[in-house]
Amino acid sequence: MSTTEFDAIVLGAGAAGLMCAAIAGQRGRRVLLLDHADQVGKKILISGGGRCNFTNVNTAPDRFISANPHFAKSALARYTPADFVALVDRYGIAYHEKTLGQLFCDGSAKQIVAMLLEEAANGGVDVRTGQPVRDVTHADAKFTVRFGDASFSAPALVIATGGPSIPQMGATGFAYDLARQFGLKVVEPRPALVPLTLGGDDVLFRELSGIAAPVEARAGKAAFREAALFTHRGLSGPAILQASSYWRHGEPVTIDFLPDTPKDWLLEAKRSRPRATLRAALGAMLPDRLAETLAERLALTGELAAQTDRKLADAESRLTRWDFRPNGTEGFAKAEVTVGGISTASLSSQTMVAKTVPNLYAVGEAVDVTGWLGGYNFQWAWASGHAAGQVI
Ligand code: FDA
């Protein structure tokens, strides 16, 4: 079998791989971009409900989770949301800010994939898809990749095969296998931005399936003030998805059902609406069935006037710190991203090169850097892909 030579091979034609290959190609490198899927950028295409939330104008390092919270700083500073927006503008792609700094295409995520493919074509990148990567070897300062029946080699190799979330779409843990093959450490991957499942006593809340409320959800030290949604399996909605990235098995997720209510609200309600029940008072702020369930769980029936101040203060305290004990998540099948991945301790934060294997790089979701919900994960893919693309 003859082997075709390139300057760099990028494995994985998703967000990070496309960016990395395009940047390197435009620097005059001969780049090969390989993907086992029949189509490039599949996750981009389904992202943001088909409109791709391609970045977030509020990008800052503290919106990323990693064993090393400083690791992402360098790449994020050198390729910013404004840089990606400038690219989007150059292609005349219309976009809007939806909420919380999240930028979405007005039209379709297809425009982002088409843009990245054109950028890759401008750099003369050879894009090949639809074959399995059979193996990757390293000898005589060259990486050799068997892709289907073909063989390619290059002095530089970039791992850009993402994380295992949504395996139905061809996502795999291949990046971790490769990393381990080359002696790099992997931080245990966990599903993130994922719905949580409830069991035990909390199972009763499943009856509220479909009901949403604005809350503050807390897991570990992180707190998110957005909507929570009850589902037939447990909890979802943006506040819960965000909290899930910080949640660990066995720990609670604490919900404040009254995030915008001043302290001692219930005592105040007792004075201003003494004949009201807790359910009615809560019903002024929360969906009726949720108000009913919470009031039942607090076993506080009867008029507010009939309750002691102490009891009402305790009830308010629970409503603002309601502990759910999830028994799990809906797993990688439903997770938008993966927390964990190739250890940042094994990589240079400047270039994404492996510290112990010359010219081996890792970018994007494959690396132990995970963004919040809202365009942060694509920004990391662009920024890390750009960092490696400048040096391979
Ligand atoms: P990505 O997964 O994009 O690409 C990896 C590529 O490697 C794929 O093309 C895959 O086929 C290929 N590959 C995998 N295994 C391989 C193997 N063994 N051999 C060869 N190729 C292989 N983020 C955001 O910022 N805004 C958003 O709106 C959304 N929305 C969203 C919706 C849904 C449903 C999901 C699942 C995810 C999102 N995300 C998101 C997250 C975002 O999609 C994700 O973080 C990036 O796509 C990661 O980019 P990468 O290039 O690292 O991986």
Side-chain angles (χ1 to χ4, degrees):
M1 190 194 306
S2 71
T3 297
T4 314
E5 308 264 340
F6 288 85
D7 294 326
I9 298 173
V10 180
L11 291 180
L18 279 162
M19 175 61 86
C20 180
I23 296 282
Q26 290 179 18
R27 286 175 41 244
R29 294 286 189 266
R30 289 170 305 145
V31 181
L32 175 67
L33 178 59
L34 299 176
D35 203 296
H36 68 167
D38 51 2
Q39 205 182 2
V40 306
K42 275 183 157 181
K43 276 194 188 166
I44 302 175
L45 292 173
I46 60 156
S47 68
R51 289 225 162 85
C52 186
N53 174 195
F54 55 78
T55 191
N56 193 301
V57 297
N58 300 323
T59 295
D62 65 357
R63 277 134 202 249
F64 294 83
I65 303 160
S66 171
N68 176 358
H70 303 293
F71 183 82
K73 285 182 180 170
S74 171
L76 290 173
R78 285 178 294 130
Y79 193 85
T80 65
D83 291 320
F84 195 77
V85 167
L87 183 63
V88 166
D89 281 339
R90 253 202 288 136
Y91 278 77
I93 298 172
Y95 62 90
H96 60 280
E97 180 176 334
K98 197 169 171 190
T99 173
L100 302 171
Q102 303 168 4
L103 302 190
F104 283 75
C105 296
D106 289 356
S108 160
K110 286 182 194 159
Q111 295 171 287
I112 298 293
V113 174
M115 175 186 83
L116 293 167
L117 274 175
E118 199 172 322
E119 283 292 291
N122 291 343
V125 175
D126 189 341
V127 184
R128 303 196 189 198
T129 58
Q131 298 288 329
V133 174
R134 296 194 190 280
D135 68 7
V136 177
T137 52
H138 188 216
D140 303 329
K142 276 204 173 149
F143 294 92
T144 300
V145 177
R146 280 207 306 131
F147 184 67
D149 294 332
S151 176
F152 303 103
S153 76
L157 181 78
V158 182
I159 304 173
T161 52
S165 56
I166 322 277
Q168 313 87 295
M169 290 188 55
T172 65
F174 185 62
Y176 314 144
D177 299 340
L178 266 185
R180 289 191 188 101
Q181 177 186 332
F182 288 106
L184 311 188
K185 291 211 171 70
V186 175
V187 175
E188 186 205 352
R190 291 183 286 124
L193 298 181
V194 64
L196 299 172
T197 55
L198 294 177
D201 272 359
D202 292 336
V203 93
L204 289 175
F205 280 93
R206 292 194 201 159
E207 286 167 14
L208 299 176
S209 179
I211 290 177
V215 303
E216 183 176 273
R218 204 172 263 284
K221 288 189 181 129
F224 297 93
R225 191 179 281 211
E226 281 189 75
L229 170 73
F230 291 93
T231 72
H232 66 287
R233 296 191 62 190
L235 295 167
S236 187
I240 301 298
L241 298 180
Q242 297 278 35
S244 74
S245 301
Y246 292 85
W247 178 75
R248 296 275 184 173
H249 272 274
E251 289 180 358
V253 168
T254 307
I255 296 210
D256 180 351
F257 285 108
L258 307 169
D260 298 314
T261 308
K263 195 169 167 338
D264 294 333
W265 154 80
L266 208 42
L267 292 175
E268 181 50 38
K270 177 179 170 182
R271 305 204 205 306
S272 57
R273 301 174 60 194
R275 316 306 296 266
T277 58
L278 175 63
R279 179 192 166 172
L282 274 176
M285 280 171 303
L286 295 171
D288 203 42
R289 278 177 52 214
L290 175 58
E292 180 184 359
T293 303
L294 292 172
E296 270 171 16
R297 292 240 129 186
L298 289 168
L300 227 162
T301 49
E303 297 175 355
L304 293 177
Q307 316 296 336
T308 62
D309 283 4
R310 176 67 197 268
K311 236 178 160 184
L312 292 177
D314 286 351
E316 181 170 319
S317 170
R318 275 208 68 200
L319 287 165
T320 54
R321 281 191 292 274
W322 197 285
D323 276 353
F324 286 93
R325 298 235 165 229
N327 59 8
T329 75
E330 291 198 26
F332 283 115
K334 293 283 162 64
E336 207 163 282
V337 287
T338 309
V339 159
I342 300 174
S343 171
T344 55
S346 303
L347 303 172
S348 152
S349 62
Q350 304 288 311
T351 62
M352 306 292 135
V353 74
K355 288 177 179 165
T356 49
V357 186
N359 292 318
L360 175 67
Y361 298 77
V363 295
E365 197 179 320
V367 178
D368 173 32
V369 173
T370 308
W372 284 4
L373 187 74
Y376 296 101
N377 284 295
F378 279 137
Q379 188 57 37
W380 168 246
W382 317 136
S384 56
H386 177 264
Q390 282 192 312
V391 292
I392 56 174

